[in-house]
Amino acid sequence: MKYILVCISLILLSACGTSKKIVDKPIVFNEERMQLTKEYLSTRHGLEQENPTIIPRMIVLHWTVIPTMQKTFDAFNPPKLPGRPDLATSSSLNVSSQFLVDRDGTIYRLMPETTMARHVIGLNHTAIGVENVGGSKELPLTKAQIKANIWLVKYLNKKYPIKYLIGHYEYTNFEGHELWLETDAAYRTVKTDPGEDFMAAVKKGTKRLNLKSAPEQTIIN
Ligand SMILES: [Zn+2]
């Protein structure tokens, strides 16, 4: 009897381990967004490509501060940036990310994994973005989001030649790195997302993968 119970719980455990699902919830990717994305690759990264695709070598984790999944989806959905004059001078392509993790840990895929999204200056040409709903003082990121991010990093690491796992707040450390491609030395924004505690928790859960963190800050003369 005891043996049977152990078997049953093992089966349940392994089922749980693989039962995480990705929910496809695509944002608009029409001809306009296609053209704007190709333009971004050209003007910001200096890459002329027939298709706006990436080879993912990095995962960048974010928080949205926007309090709900739907409001975040609505913000990313239009192809063109509504407002944000600070960003619009660099490109009018709207911001987005390939993945969005809701507060209950549900993982939404907003775009094909290898289509470029605008979520991190200098690195979009090679970085998959994972946004997490929340992050403000009132709505700190959840344990379910930590678990979902760990699962997602493992999933992506199996499919692509991922070398780096970083938090958005670390991105400027890549200036001067071979993966850094940004044509304008003045185009930077200061970021704190997704917080050091969240990063540490996801790093701990994916330790086995030996993914690198951001390099030490490179001094540019
Ligand atoms: Zn961010």
Side-chain angles (χ1 to χ4, degrees):
M1 187 60 191
K2 206 173 175 187
Y3 175 75
I4 292 168
L5 276 178
V6 168
C7 286
I8 289 170
S9 50
L10 275 178
I11 290 164
L12 283 174
L13 267 179
S14 60
C16 288
T18 53
S19 66
K20 195 100 194 152
K21 284 213 178 75
I22 294 174
V23 182
D24 280 306
K25 189 173 168 62
I27 53 170
V28 168
F29 210 93
N30 55 10
E31 190 54 36
E32 186 186 23
R33 199 172 202 130
M34 174 83 85
Q35 286 309 323
L36 287 169
T37 308
K38 281 166 70 171
E39 215 176 278
Y40 186 101
L41 277 162
S42 167
T43 56
R44 304 266 47 92
H45 294 324
L47 298 172
E48 305 297 333
Q49 294 184 194
E50 203 153 313
N51 295 304
T53 53
I54 65 168
I55 296 171
R57 298 182 186 87
M58 182 184 305
I59 300 168
V60 182
L61 306 186
H62 304 260
W63 66 33
T64 63
V65 181
I66 301 172
T68 68
M69 186 280 289
Q70 192 57 50
K71 280 188 180 151
T72 308
F73 182 89
D74 294 343
F76 291 172
N77 199 32
K80 261 190 154 170
L81 262 188
R84 309 253 336 230
D86 55 324
L87 295 183
T89 47
S90 303
S91 160
S92 54
L93 172 66
N94 197 7
V95 294
S96 68
S97 61
Q98 286 86 353
F99 292 94
L100 177 60
V101 180
D102 205 351
R103 302 189 56 73
D104 65 359
T106 306
I107 301 171
Y108 294 94
R109 181 165 40 208
L110 308 182
M111 303 166 53
E113 292 163 3
T114 54
T115 296
M116 195 210 88
R118 183 182 191 181
H119 62 98
V120 56
I121 292 168
L123 302 164
N124 286 313
H125 66 95
T126 196
I128 288 183
V130 180
E131 288 278 357
N132 288 274
V133 176
S136 61
K137 221 174 175 185
E138 297 72 34
L139 275 183
L141 299 184
T142 66
K143 283 201 174 126
Q145 284 173 312
I146 292 174
K147 274 179 87 175
N149 278 249
I150 290 169
W151 183 90
L152 188 54
V153 168
K154 288 178 180 169
Y155 160 86
L156 292 171
N157 184 67
K158 263 189 205 156
K159 291 180 81 172
Y160 305 110
I162 305 287
K163 280 205 174 82
Y164 295 91
L165 169 63
I166 69 163
H168 197 186
Y169 64 87
E170 299 174 278
Y171 84 98
T172 51
N173 285 20
F174 277 90
E175 286 185 48
H177 187 273
E178 57 176 352
L179 287 179
W180 180 266
L181 293 180
E182 168 50 49
T183 52
D184 181 357
Y187 176 41
R188 305 285 183 271
T189 50
V190 177
K191 296 291 177 182
T192 57
D193 65 317
E196 289 186 22
D197 292 349
F198 189 82
M199 260 337 277
V202 177
K203 279 265 169 196
K204 196 175 161 204
T206 55
K207 210 174 169 204
R208 228 171 27 85
L209 309 181
N210 287 319
L211 296 173
K212 293 188 204 171
S213 302
E216 297 293 309
Q217 185 88 52
T218 315
I219 307 295
I220 313 272
N221 292 312

